[in-house]
């Protein structure tokens, strides 16, 4: 019997060095702790090319490390061709949501794009900033801590949604952690020298 295909989630922010790699690390940890290793693949990207090839912002790494999250990351830009391989594309703010839906090749692909904080039952869409995870890039450590808190608050609800999606596919309940969660999107093509 063939193993079920993994459920693929990609988090997207602007440059793929702050919010989306933080969300990737947090959700990968949540999925692993829930026994979804091998059943869920987690990745991240940015809407623009500004930081392609760079690691995550040092402040993001510091905050993740302080909270016990592992992080290994190289920034890249989201590509429209990735939609066909993904089950869910998670935007970190409403600007990313609009950009990604406009980039989607089909209405079905556009429907895969959701805001992360849609999964936080305590997030107030009427509050200043709505359901956006504010960009901490021009701020300090406190801004990265606040970003992490928002990501963690939404990750459990997202995990519940992914679990329901897997059940709908007929995927068996998660077993004990066996293999690391892997990256979903193809590596950036190498340029010819």
């Amino acid at each position: 019997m063939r193993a079920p295909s993994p459920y693929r989630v990609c988090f997207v922010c602007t440059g793929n060095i702050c919010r989306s790699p933080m969300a990737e690390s947090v959700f990968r940890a949540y999925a692993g702790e829930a026994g979804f290793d091998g059943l869920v693949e987690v990745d991240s990207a940015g809407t623009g090319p500004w930081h392609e090839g760079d690691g995550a912002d040092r402040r993001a790494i510091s905050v993740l490390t302080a909270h016990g999250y592992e992080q290994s990351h190289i920034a890249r830009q989201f590509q429209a061709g990735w939609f066909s391989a993904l089950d869910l594309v998670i935007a970190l703010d409403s600007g990313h949501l609009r950009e990604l839906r406009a980039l989607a090749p089909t209405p079905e692909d556009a429907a895969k794009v959701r805001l992360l904080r849609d999964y936080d039952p305590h997030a107030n869409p009427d509050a200043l900033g709505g359901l956006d995870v504010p960009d901490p890039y021009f701020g300090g450590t406190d801004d990265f801590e606040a970003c992490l808190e928002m990501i963690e608050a939404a990750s459990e609800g997202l995990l519940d949604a992914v679990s329901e999606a897997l059940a709908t596919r007929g995927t068996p309940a998660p077993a004990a952690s066996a293999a690391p969660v892997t990256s979903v999107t193809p590596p950036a093509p190498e340029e010819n020298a």
Side-chain angles (χ1 to χ4, degrees):
M1 183 173 151
R2 199 173 118 201
S5 63
Y7 192 88
R8 295 175 174 97
V9 180
C10 185
F11 295 92
V12 182
C13 70
T14 306
N16 193 214
I17 60 167
C18 297
R19 292 171 287 177
S20 59
M22 290 177 75
E24 175 187 354
S25 293
V26 169
F27 193 68
R28 180 175 287 126
Y30 276 52
E33 289 170 14
F36 284 108
D37 289 338
L39 297 175
V40 176
E41 292 180 353
V42 185
D43 204 356
S44 67
T47 57
W50 310 282
H51 298 286
E52 278 187 303
D54 294 345
D57 184 285
R58 64 178 170 71
R59 297 163 296 174
I61 294 169
S62 177
V63 167
L64 288 168
T65 301
H67 290 272
Y69 294 106
E70 294 181 14
Q71 191 280 137
S72 173
H73 178 73
I74 300 295
R76 55 191 170 174
Q77 183 177 8
F78 189 87
Q79 304 296 316
W82 295 355
F83 274 105
S84 63
L86 295 168
D87 296 293
L88 200 52
V89 179
I90 302 295
L92 276 288
D93 70 30
S94 54
H96 305 134
L97 182 79
R98 283 188 300 276
E99 268 188 81
L100 290 161
R101 286 185 174 164
L103 184 65
T106 68
E108 292 80 14
D109 289 328
K112 295 177 182 180
V113 184
R114 298 284 308 271
L115 274 173
L116 175 61
R117 293 193 69 212
D118 278 340
Y119 297 97
D120 178 354
H122 303 292
N124 180 357
D126 298 324
L128 182 63
L131 295 177
D132 291 352
V133 175
D135 191 349
Y137 184 75
F138 293 104
T141 302
D142 288 348
D143 299 292
F144 282 83
E145 289 282 353
C147 179
L148 179 64
E149 287 175 17
M150 290 179 193
I151 290 167
E152 288 176 329
S155 289
E156 190 143 337
L158 176 57
L159 188 63
D160 289 343
V162 169
S163 180
E164 289 174 23
L166 286 167
T168 300
R169 286 183 174 180
T171 302
S177 224
V181 178
T182 58
S183 182
V184 295
T185 50
E190 293 183 27
E191 292 186 29
N192 293 332

